[in-house]
Amino acid sequence: MFTKPKTKTLFLSSLLLSSIFFSQAHNVSEGYQKPTDPLVIQNLENWQDLKFGLFMHWGTYSQWGIVESWSLCPEDESWTQRKPEHGKSYNEYVENYENLQKTFNPTQFNPQKWADAAKKAGMKYVVFTTKHHDGFAMFDTKESDYKITSSNTPFSKNPKADVTEEIFSTFRKDGFKIGAYFSKPDWHSDDYWWPYFPPKDRNVNYDPKKYPERWNSFKNFTFNQLNEITSNYGKIDILWLDGGWVRPFHTIDQNVEWQRTIKVEQDIDMDKIGTMARKNQPGIIVVDRTVPGKWENYVTPEQAVPEKALSIPWESCITMGDSFSYVPNDNYKSSQKIIETLVKIISRGGNYLMNIAPGPNGDYDAVVYERLKEISGWMDQNQSAVFATRAVAPYHDGNFYYTQSKDGKTLNVFHLNDQSTYESPSTLNFTIPENFKPKSLKVLGLSNKIQWKKSGNIIEIQLPEDRKKLNYASVIQITQ
C-alpha cells in the first residue's frame, strides 16, 4: 500500500501508484473474469452486502512512523524520505530497519478494543497485513525467523504474540468476515532480493529465467506461507494479495507507468496458490490486485473513488489519516468526510475499506476512537440505507446519491453538501428513477411525518424544524 503525499515528489508518486486502478479503469470490465465456483459467486454477493470494512497496516515500521516498508526500496527513496538518524548509507539503513524486530513490543495490543469500536461504527469485515513487502511476518510462520513470534522479537514472550491469530479470532467472534493481506514480493528473502546483486527497484533483483532454481525456491516459500495462513488461522473469507509487480510478464499493461518498470518474468503460479487456498478455505475470495483474470475476484482502487458506478465487484481502500501506516500526529479525516466518502462509494456499487494504523504501543490514537464513536451514531439511524443495498441509476445527481434494496422495493436518497459541517435545508428536490412508484417516504432519524409531493419523476419534500439534528447527511427512504 501507499501513503498520501506530503510533498510534491510524494504527490507524483501517489498519482503514479493510484494509476494501479485508474489506468485500467477504461477496460476493467473487459479484463474482469467472473468466478465460476458457485460458492465464490455467493460469497462475493454476500461481501457486497457488507459495504464498510476495517483495513490495518501494522508492522515493525510503526516504531519509526514511516511509510510502511517502502523506504527499503531504492527506487522509492526520494518520496519515502529516509531519515539520516536511521542510517547514513543504504546498507546501514536496511540493517537498522531489520533490527526494529528486536525492539518491537506493542504491549497495549488489545484487539477486542478495536473490534468493539469498529463494530459499533458499522464495519463488517477486517483485512489485516499478515506480511508487508519487508517480509516481516505478523503471524507464526515456520518459513522464516523474521517474524513477531521469533525469540528475536520482545513481544514473542507475550501470550498474544501471534497477533494475526488474536485479531482474526477476536473479530471473527464478533461477526466480522476475515481478510488476510499478504505481500507477494518479500524484500527480506534472499530468493527475492538475492544478496549477490544489489536491489535497484521493487522487483526481483535477478532474472528468474536465468536462475530458475532460486525463483522456484521463492515460489515454494510463498506457497508455504500462504498455506500456513489459510490452514492455521480459522475461517478466512478473503485472501488479499498485494505487490502486483509479481505477476506473469504477459499480463503487464504497457499503458500503466509502474507496470512498465517490470523487466523480468515474475510468475508466482497463482493457479497453484489459488487452488490450494480454495482447498483449505472453500469459496474464499481471492484478490490478486491489479492482475486481471480468474484470481482478481474484485478490484481495489486506492485512496480514490471511481467517478462512475462500476459493473463489477470493487472496493476503495482509503486511509482514515494521511498514511496507511502509523505516523505520529497524523491528519485524521473528519467523520463528516468519512461518511460522505462512504455514501459516494456505495452509491457507485462499491465497498469502503477504511485503513486505521495501530501505533508501536499496539493501540490506535485516541482521535480514532472519537471518529468511530461519531460514525456509530450516524450508522445507528441510517444503516438500513447502507447495508445490503445496491447501486441504482441515476447513482449521483448533484448533491444526491442513491442506493436501493436488493429487491428494488426501497429507494434510499442521501443528501450531502460537501461542506465542513452538514446543515439540512428546509426543502429538498430530487429525481427518482422513472419506473419507481413511491408509496411512502420517511427521513431516517426524524420521527415527524414528512410532507412530500411528486411531479413527474421529481420529488419535493419539506423538512421539519428538527432536521437541524441531522448530522453528516439527510437520508430519505422511499418505498413503493
Side-chain angles (χ1 to χ4, degrees):
M1 305 303 298
F2 308 103
T3 188
K4 182 178 176 182
K6 294 185 179 178
T7 68
K8 184 176 180 181
T9 306
L10 264 88
F11 178 67
L12 292 174
S13 297
S14 183
L15 284 180
L16 165 67
L17 299 169
S18 290
S19 72
I20 282 178
F21 173 76
F22 286 107
S23 56
Q24 60 186 43
H26 66 284
N27 65 351
V28 70
S29 296
E30 294 176 20
Y32 182 76
Q33 289 184 24
K34 185 176 179 179
T36 56
D37 182 331
L39 188 53
V40 177
I41 294 170
Q42 183 59 55
N43 286 341
L44 267 177
E45 179 73 16
N46 295 341
W47 171 80
Q48 288 180 287
D49 290 346
L50 305 179
K51 300 305 177 190
F52 197 23
L54 171 64
F55 205 5
M56 287 193 287
H57 278 65
W58 194 29
T60 62
Y61 44 76
S62 65
Q63 297 173 89
W64 279 355
I66 55 175
V67 185
E68 309 119 67
S69 52
W70 280 101
S71 56
L72 294 173
C73 183
E75 74 170 305
D76 292 294
E77 179 177 4
S78 60
W79 65 272
T80 56
Q81 299 172 310
R82 290 186 202 131
K83 298 176 182 176
E85 61 266 29
H86 294 157
K88 295 178 181 178
S89 68
Y90 175 75
N91 289 338
E92 184 182 6
Y93 183 90
V94 171
E95 181 181 359
N96 289 339
Y97 181 100
E98 296 198 338
N99 278 334
L100 286 170
Q101 174 185 16
K102 298 176 181 178
T103 54
F104 193 43
N105 195 21
T107 54
Q108 293 180 34
F109 171 58
N110 179 5
Q112 189 63 59
K113 185 179 178 184
W114 298 343
D116 289 344
K119 186 174 184 177
K120 287 177 183 175
M123 291 170 157
K124 305 289 187 185
Y125 65 109
V126 61
V127 178
F128 175 64
T129 51
T130 64
K131 188 183 77 168
H132 203 258
H133 313 326
D134 59 3
F136 185 79
M138 297 289 280
F139 66 102
D140 187 26
T141 180
K142 302 298 185 288
E143 297 295 308
S144 167
D145 201 42
Y146 193 49
K147 59 182 179 179
I148 194 165
T149 53
S150 164
S151 60
N152 293 325
T153 311
F155 196 62
S156 64
K157 299 176 179 64
N158 193 291
K160 297 181 179 179
D162 190 345
V163 299
T164 293
E165 166 64 28
E166 297 294 326
I167 290 168
F168 286 176
S169 60
T170 300
F171 278 79
R172 190 184 297 113
K173 175 175 56 71
D174 275 358
F176 285 74
K177 297 297 184 183
I178 303 299
Y181 168 111
F182 182 90
S183 168
K184 292 184 294 182
D186 186 316
W187 296 335
H188 182 76
S189 169
D190 289 351
D191 290 328
Y192 193 77
W193 275 1
W194 185 7
Y196 186 75
F197 298 111
K200 294 178 293 186
D201 54 29
R202 69 195 63 177
N203 295 284
V204 61
N205 68 343
Y206 61 92
D207 185 346
K209 285 189 173 180
K210 291 183 179 178
Y211 304 97
E213 289 184 3
R214 185 168 288 272
W215 183 248
N216 282 332
S217 177
F218 181 68
K219 285 166 62 175
N220 290 333
F221 166 79
T222 304
F223 178 91
N224 291 341
Q225 285 199 322
L226 288 169
N227 188 35
E228 290 174 329
I229 289 170
T230 55
S231 295
N232 302 336
Y233 288 87
K235 179 78 165 67
I236 308 289
D237 303 284
I238 304 165
L239 183 59
W240 210 97
L241 301 176
D242 202 9
W245 55 94
V246 176
R247 66 197 296 144
F249 196 78
H250 70 86
T251 66
I252 294 170
D253 185 346
Q254 292 298 331
N255 295 313
V256 183
E257 187 173 348
W258 70 267
Q259 291 188 28
R260 292 199 297 270
T261 69
I262 306 170
K263 303 300 184 185
V264 294
E265 177 68 65
Q266 296 186 67
D267 190 340
I268 201 72
D269 199 346
M270 272 305 301
D271 279 349
K272 183 179 179 183
I273 288 171
T275 300
M276 169 269 292
R278 292 258 163 89
K279 182 180 178 182
N280 293 340
Q281 301 281 344
I284 192 172
I285 296 168
V286 180
V287 185
D288 189 16
R289 294 189 79 207
T290 76
V291 188
K294 65 188 287 190
W295 300 113
E296 189 182 30
N297 296 157
Y298 65 75
V299 296
T300 51
E302 182 173 314
Q303 296 287 47
V305 181
E307 288 297 316
K308 297 180 180 179
L310 300 181
S311 60
I312 63 174
W314 64 276
E315 160 195 88
S316 275
C317 46
I318 299 175
T319 52
M320 180 189 269
D322 283 345
S323 175
F324 277 102
S325 50
Y326 178 80
V327 174
N329 305 309
D330 204 354
N331 177 36
Y332 291 100
K333 296 174 179 65
S334 67
S335 298
Q336 177 78 42
K337 180 67 175 176
I338 292 166
I339 287 168
E340 287 173 355
T341 301
L342 174 65
V343 169
K344 291 174 182 179
I345 287 172
I346 65 175
S347 73
R348 292 162 196 172
N351 282 14
Y352 182 4
L353 184 63
M354 184 169 68
N355 187 88
I356 301 173
N361 64 354
D363 202 359
Y364 301 152
D365 281 343
V367 66
V368 168
Y369 294 103
E370 293 174 15
R371 295 287 188 274
L372 293 175
K373 185 176 180 180
E374 290 164 355
I375 294 166
S376 69
W378 184 88
M379 201 66 82
D380 284 345
Q381 68 184 30
N382 296 295
Q383 57 186 306
S384 63
V386 174
F387 304 112
T389 60
R390 293 295 182 267
V392 59
Y395 311 110
H396 167 213
D397 184 13
N399 286 331
F400 295 94
Y401 296 81
Y402 301 78
T403 66
Q404 68 176 348
S405 60
K406 289 195 288 184
D407 62 10
K409 293 179 180 178
T410 303
L411 180 71
N412 306 297
V413 184
F414 299 80
H415 176 256
L416 308 178
N417 65 6
D418 285 322
Q419 303 297 316
S420 57
T421 304
Y422 179 79
E423 293 183 6
S424 177
S426 59
T427 303
L428 291 174
N429 294 276
F430 53 88
T431 305
I432 61 171
E434 288 187 18
N435 59 350
F436 193 87
K437 297 177 173 57
K439 182 179 178 182
S440 63
L441 180 152
K442 62 182 176 180
V443 175
L444 300 182
L446 301 184
S447 57
N448 308 58
K449 188 174 181 180
I450 304 300
Q451 300 298 316
W452 63 281
K453 62 182 180 181
K454 180 177 179 289
S455 177
N457 65 337
I458 303 293
I459 283 186
E460 177 181 301
I461 68 173
Q462 302 296 324
L463 290 167
E465 186 68 20
D466 66 347
R467 71 182 184 277
K468 294 179 180 178
K469 71 181 183 181
L470 296 175
N471 291 321
Y472 313 127
S474 295
V475 186
I476 305 101
Q477 194 165 74
I478 312 169
T479 55
Q480 66 173 354

